[in-house]
Amino acid sequence: MNTIRNKVQLIGNLGVNPEIKEFETGKKIAKFSLATNDSYKNQKGEKVTETQWHNLIAWGKTAEYVEQHLKKGIEVAVEGKLQSRNYTDKAGAKRYVTEIQVTDIMILKEKDKDKEKEKEKESVSEKA
């Protein structure tokens, strides 16, 4: 039961191409955003879709996978954990950030200019 204390699973579409940074040690980090949609019918019976944006980061092998395979618009399933941090910006104000540190990622659908096509379900896991 300890393994599910801080666990997040999301399915959504990448909002931007991932930003990749490589450190002097050779280790990589990938930063990207994911949009998830929730739909419901309002009192008038109209369908309403709400979009939530999530900030994601991936390290090591997972970051390399993200760099090679992911781009804006691709639908993915991710698993990871919530991570909060704070920093002081250039103006001296304290800022707080909550991100999802991705440990597993799977491509569900890849966007194509002419049509969406199903991609073989590839996945990568930090656990391996």
Side-chain angles (χ1 to χ4, degrees):
M1 201 71 162
N2 286 340
T3 59
I4 61 170
R5 291 189 188 267
N6 183 1
K7 187 176 189 177
V8 176
Q9 295 177 321
L10 298 171
I11 294 177
N13 296 84
L14 268 67
V16 295
N17 288 329
E19 175 189 328
I20 309 298
K21 182 176 179 182
E22 186 169 353
F23 296 95
E24 292 175 4
T25 61
K27 190 171 187 177
K28 291 185 179 183
I29 183 172
K31 295 181 179 185
F32 53 105
S33 61
L34 188 75
T36 57
N37 295 314
D38 191 22
S39 297
Y40 63 92
K41 289 193 177 185
N42 65 15
Q43 291 177 341
K44 296 178 184 177
E46 303 164 329
K47 182 179 176 183
V48 177
T49 301
E50 292 182 351
T51 302
Q52 296 287 321
W53 287 93
H54 311 276
N55 295 318
L56 285 72
I57 59 170
W59 292 91
K61 268 175 82 172
T62 306
E64 290 173 12
Y65 179 84
V66 167
E67 179 180 30
Q68 293 170 10
H69 299 286
L70 300 190
K71 61 185 175 189
K72 180 180 177 176
I74 289 178
E75 184 180 34
V76 295
V78 297
E79 184 175 297
K81 64 181 181 176
L82 283 177
Q83 182 173 291
S84 297
R85 61 184 172 86
N86 63 65
Y87 66 95
T88 304
D89 68 13
K90 292 178 183 177
K94 196 166 190 173
R95 302 287 183 185
Y96 297 88
V97 178
T98 299
E99 303 163 316
I100 298 166
Q101 183 175 338
V102 177
T103 54
D104 294 305
I105 191 161
M106 179 186 300
I107 295 174
L108 300 178
K109 288 184 186 172
E110 187 171 345
K111 291 280 184 180
D112 191 24
K113 287 184 180 179
D114 300 321
K115 61 179 180 174
E116 285 190 1
K117 60 180 180 176
E118 290 290 324
K119 182 171 174 65
E120 286 185 36
K121 293 188 179 182
E122 302 179 55
S123 67
V124 65
S125 174
E126 276 295 310
K127 299 171 193 167

